[in-house]
């Protein structure tokens, strides 16, 4: 009898893991499609890949959003051959994961509009300055406008999609 109880708990846990992995796989696939839509920039890795990750952070949790957005950036970089080297793109993917968690946290604490503003600032301005030791101040200033535009597009799309289905049975 005790063994049967254990199996039931295990299957419940597995069902949640399967659901979470399925959600991540679907949104990583959407990120892959977004990775093909580029925003012209000096580095070429700014695209529409992060909107699914930001959406997942709001709708399904920070960890889910972090995984999706990190894979989304790596897919974007892979499409054009990791122009800034794999270690630097891993560093950027970790930043993006952190920004997704922050985006969700600000949404929970202050609301969607402040979260959008914070998401754009983190992904556009802070990400540019995080590259300062690698590309120098000239590179940061040259990259920042493109990052801000890309961040604004991705974050606003994620916020609009989340607002459209918030409260429905879909999330």
């Amino acid at each position: 009898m005790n063994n049967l109880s254990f199996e039931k708990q295990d299957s419940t846990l597995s069902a949640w893991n399967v659901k979470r992995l399925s959600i991540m796989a679907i949104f990583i696939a959407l990120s892959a499609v977004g990775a093909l839509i580029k925003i012209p920039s000096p580095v070429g890795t700014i695209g529409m890949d992060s909107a699914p990750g930001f959406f997942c952070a709001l709708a399904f949790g920070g960890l889910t959003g972090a995984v999706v957005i990190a894979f989304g950036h790596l897919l974007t970089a892979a499409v054009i051959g990791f122009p800034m080297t794999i270690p630097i793109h891993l560093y950027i993917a970790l930043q993006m994961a952190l920004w997704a968690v922050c985006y969700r946290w600000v949404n929970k604490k202050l609301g969607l509009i402040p979260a959008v503003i914070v998401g754009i600032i983190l992904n556009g301005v802070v990400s540019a300055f995080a590259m300062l030791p690698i590309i120098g101040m000239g590179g940061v200033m040259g990259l920042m406008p493109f990052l801000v535009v890309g961040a604004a597009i991705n974050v606003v799309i994620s916020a609009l999609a989340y607002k459209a289905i918030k409260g429905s049975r879909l999330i």
Side-chain angles (χ1 to χ4, degrees), residues 2 8 13-14 16 24 26 32 55 74 83 94 97 100 111-112 115 119 155 167:
N2 193 13
K8 185 174 183 176
L13 183 62
S14 294
W16 167 243
M24 284 193 260
I26 289 165
F55 173 81
L74 292 174
L94 286 174
L112 192 56
V155 170

Side-chain angles (χ1 to χ4, degrees), residues 38-106:
K38 300 287 186 216
I39 295 169
S41 70
V43 291
T45 60
I46 302 172
M48 299 300 298
D49 60 292
S50 59
F54 281 124
F55 173 81
C56 281
L58 292 176
F60 305 112
L63 177 63
T64 302
V67 169
V68 170
I69 205 165
F71 272 103
H73 173 74
L74 292 174
L75 289 168
T76 297
V79 165
I80 61 169
F82 295 101
M84 297 189 300
T85 74
I86 292 174
I88 291 175
H89 284 291
L90 287 171
Y91 168 67
I92 294 168
L94 286 174
Q95 281 180 39
M96 297 294 292
L98 179 61
W99 302 160
V101 171
C102 292
Y103 183 55
R104 176 175 173 90
W105 184 82
V106 172

Side-chain angles (χ1 to χ4, degrees), residues 102-126:
C102 292
Y103 183 55
R104 176 175 173 90
W105 184 82
V106 172
N107 179 55
K108 285 281 192 195
K109 296 294 181 185
L110 303 174
L112 192 56
I113 299 298
V116 167
I117 294 166
V118 167
I120 293 168
I121 290 170
L122 288 174
N123 194 20
V125 178
V126 177

Side-chain angles (χ1 to χ4, degrees), residues 142-159:
L143 183 61
M144 191 181 310
F146 300 100
L147 276 177
V148 170
V149 168
I153 292 169
N154 280 291
V155 170
V156 168
I157 287 172
S158 74

